[in-house]
Amino acid sequence: MGRSVCQRLKQADDFNSSLPFDCKLYKQDITGSMAHAAMLGAQGIITPAERDAILAGLEGILADIDAGALAFDDEAEDIHMFVEAELTARIGDVGKKLHTARSRNDQVAVDIRLYLRDEAAEVTGLLKKLLAAILKQAGQNRQTVLPGYTHLQRAQPVTFAHHLLAYGMMFARDMTRLRDAVARMNVCPLGSCALAGTTYPTNRQMVAEELGFDGITLNSIDGVSDRDFCVELLAAFALIMTHLSRFAEEVVLWSSWEFRFVELDDSFTTGSSIMPQKKNPDMAELVRGKTGRVYGDLMALLTVLKGLPLAYNKDMQEDKEAIFDALETVKQCLGVFAPMLESMKTRPDNMRKAAGEGFINATDLADYLVRRGLPFRDAYKTVGQIVAHCLATGKVLETLPLDEYRRFSPLFEDDLHAAISLDACVNKRTSAGGTAPGSLDPQIAYLQSFL
Ligand code: ARG
């Protein structure tokens, strides 16, 4: 009987414990505690000697965990309890004074903010590397013409540089999104205590400054119950994954035999165990596949928060695994995507061939007639008839002879073929943001400002 009660308690304790995953926060937890202890000392809430003992004890714990000399025992409920218990074991009763004018509720809120601030900087660094790889490939492919698609139907010719820079813009936006989220997040909740503030003469500004925050949270109830910053960052991660996943899908298509636009380096593909000809784009597929996990993490956190009354509720402990999983996934995916892109070989001849075989210059043919005075809608109709004629006779616009063109309109002259060549189609699109080489320069300069 007694034994089974014991077992049940163990099960409940394990269920309740966050130490197996929040041990990741040990550095932030100790850093936050040190700032708190320094403030308690400065305010005369503990004596200078007590403060020094606590600071030395915390430093020792941090050094030992860093060195692998101190293991997280599974007796503690979470990282906060673990550090405090270890401190008291090391320096005696004075360790019990650390938790004066504080609660685990504001402690965990500060720990996650410190952690996410660093991690957001790391993700930004990885985005920079990806952007650098995009810019490098773009620089090498300013003249590489391929079909631009809408509805995955060949639409108009573009350069591969232009196409890649479109992804560059997405990742640049991702960087600004992280920056915005961090700016909003970077206020210190420590000193909110359990929820109502404290009767001790604390100095919250001092703690905030010590920890590199821009200010303090202004409402103690909000300070301990807000997890908006986690949601915002998870949403930013989800969008990064959306962008990576679209890019990954294109890499999968481009490296297929049907397209053959690019060839991935062997380190980013795998062979098949039974089909010797195969070179599978597994890394790109995994990036596409892992996108779902990050969406799931975002949805999980939103769902955890939606029905919570103020202020802290234990449900909020569920924030951590969602955040950690999303972070890990995003970092892995960015980490593999940048070198995959950088080492990817392009096949400009195949891209050009794909652009040349259809009627991708039909818009330009219509524009030719417009330049000679025909209203666009009439030009559009005439070109439609020419395309139908080509399809019926197995011809293409580039090689259809002038006399056949003139059957549809007397406006066609012998400069026609030059006007609808692929290079002309690309080079003439000089509008801001367009695909002409001159229009790419400002796009490249803008993205370079992020590096
Ligand atoms: N492990 C908890 C969490 O991650 C820490 C805060 C616990 N606070 C409390 N009053 N039980 O949310």
Side-chain angles (χ1 to χ4, degrees):
M1 179 69 181
R3 191 195 176 107
S4 90
V5 168
C6 260
Q7 273 173 348
R8 272 198 309 129
L9 285 175
K10 165 98 174 90
Q11 214 173 22
D13 283 349
D14 287 348
F15 184 69
N16 195 39
S17 171
S18 53
L19 191 63
F21 49 87
D22 71 10
C23 59
K24 257 190 207 297
L25 299 174
Y26 76 88
K27 201 165 283 177
Q28 289 75 18
D29 194 69
I30 292 173
T31 308
S33 286
M34 290 175 78
H36 180 67
M39 182 277 290
L40 292 179
Q43 297 297 105
I45 299 169
I46 59 175
T47 69
E50 288 169 338
R51 172 198 60 201
D52 294 345
I54 290 174
L55 290 180
L58 289 170
E59 251 168 55
I61 295 172
L62 180 57
D64 286 351
I65 298 176
D66 275 343
L70 174 60
F72 301 106
D73 73 67
D74 54 10
E75 292 296 297
E77 183 187 320
D78 55 29
I79 186 61
H80 325 295
M81 298 294 241
F82 172 81
V83 172
E84 195 184 330
E86 181 63 25
L87 180 70
T88 304
R90 289 186 181 204
I91 66 170
D93 276 356
V94 60
K96 297 180 187 166
K97 295 202 171 186
L98 171 62
H99 213 52
T100 314
R102 182 175 80 166
S103 149
R104 278 185 297 155
N105 299 349
D106 56 345
Q107 197 179 348
V108 70
V110 86
D111 289 5
I112 312 171
R113 286 172 197 250
L114 289 172
Y115 182 82
L116 282 178
R117 200 170 66 185
D118 289 348
E119 291 291 319
E122 206 176 316
V123 173
T124 300
L126 289 165
L127 282 166
K128 262 187 206 177
K129 284 188 185 154
L130 178 56
L131 204 50
I134 288 174
L135 283 167
K136 192 173 161 208
Q137 279 286 1
Q140 293 162 354
N141 288 284
R142 293 171 64 97
Q143 313 290 339
T144 306
V145 177
L146 81 163
Y149 296 85
T150 63
H151 314 270
L152 203 57
Q153 305 280 321
R154 290 168 187 171
Q156 289 173 347
V158 295
T159 62
F160 193 49
H162 192 207
H163 194 106
L164 291 172
L165 292 174
Y167 284 106
M169 296 298 166
M170 299 176 216
F171 295 118
R173 278 199 300 279
D174 288 329
M175 287 166 80
T176 64
R177 240 184 300 275
L178 290 178
R179 199 164 62 199
D180 294 348
V182 168
R184 240 185 321 278
M185 174 180 85
N186 202 30
V187 283
C188 187
L190 208 60
S192 300
C193 305
L195 80 164
T198 181
T199 55
Y200 294 95
T202 52
N203 181 347
R204 292 189 59 201
Q205 304 288 353
M206 178 185 167
V207 176
E209 265 167 48
E210 177 68 25
L211 295 174
F213 285 107
D214 298 325
I216 60 169
T217 55
L218 295 178
N219 177 303
S220 61
I221 298 174
D222 182 50
V224 292
S225 58
D226 168 36
R227 291 293 181 276
D228 289 2
F229 57 97
C230 300
V231 172
E232 282 192 55
L233 278 172
L234 274 182
F237 296 155
L239 260 180
I240 293 172
M241 292 305 298
T242 304
H243 300 150
L244 282 176
S245 186
R246 294 182 76 171
F247 208 166
E249 165 65 10
E250 297 219 87
V251 168
V252 171
L253 281 176
W254 292 338
S255 60
S256 70
W257 277 96
E258 282 69 17
F259 280 78
R260 294 272 285 155
F261 287 0
V262 302
E263 198 175 314
L264 293 174
D265 188 82
D266 285 350
S267 16
F268 300 98
T269 62
T270 61
S272 153
S273 49
I274 59 163
M275 297 168 281
Q277 83 281 13
K278 295 261 284 195
K279 209 175 152 184
N280 301 324
D282 289 32
M283 311 302 141
E285 291 170 82
L286 274 173
V287 168
R288 193 177 56 188
K290 283 177 187 288
T291 301
R293 297 169 69 108
V294 178
Y295 292 178
D297 292 327
L298 171 62
M299 217 36 72
L301 182 61
L302 283 169
T303 311
V304 163
L305 294 174
K306 73 175 268 290
L308 294 186
L310 298 179
Y312 178 85
N313 299 270
K314 187 77 173 203
D315 315 45
M316 289 159 78
Q317 179 165 289
E318 287 290 311
D319 58 0
K320 284 161 217 67
E321 283 167 295
I323 291 168
F324 295 153
D325 180 68
L327 261 171
E328 193 55 36
T329 308
V330 169
K331 289 197 292 184
Q332 275 180 359
C333 292
L334 286 170
V336 79
F337 213 91
M340 179 179 78
L341 194 63
E342 186 161 357
S343 59
M344 180 179 85
K345 281 202 199 73
T346 51
R347 296 263 169 261
D349 42 342
N350 289 338
M351 293 192 194
R352 183 171 279 271
K353 214 169 127 217
E357 279 168 355
F359 297 90
I360 203 162
N361 43 9
T363 318
D364 296 79
L365 187 61
D367 288 343
Y368 176 93
L369 292 172
V370 170
R371 277 199 302 278
R372 272 155 191 73
L374 206 61
F376 181 78
R377 271 294 156 228
D378 293 337
Y380 175 91
K381 198 170 156 205
T382 303
V383 171
Q385 290 161 351
I386 299 172
V387 168
H389 167 72
C390 285
L391 285 172
T393 55
K395 292 172 182 164
V396 293
L397 295 178
E398 285 101 312
T399 52
L400 190 72
L402 180 60
D403 58 316
E404 288 189 48
Y405 269 110
R406 289 182 66 90
R407 273 190 241 151
F408 295 92
S409 168
L411 295 173
F412 288 118
E413 291 177 36
D414 53 14
D415 59 349
L416 144 83
H417 290 102
I420 60 162
S421 76
L422 286 182
D423 292 304
C425 295
V426 165
N427 291 332
K428 278 185 302 189
R429 286 193 163 72
T430 54
S431 55
T435 203
S439 292
L440 296 184
D441 294 333
Q443 303 177 37
I444 290 170
Y446 173 74
L447 293 177
Q448 252 154 3
S449 73
F450 282 85
L451 298 187

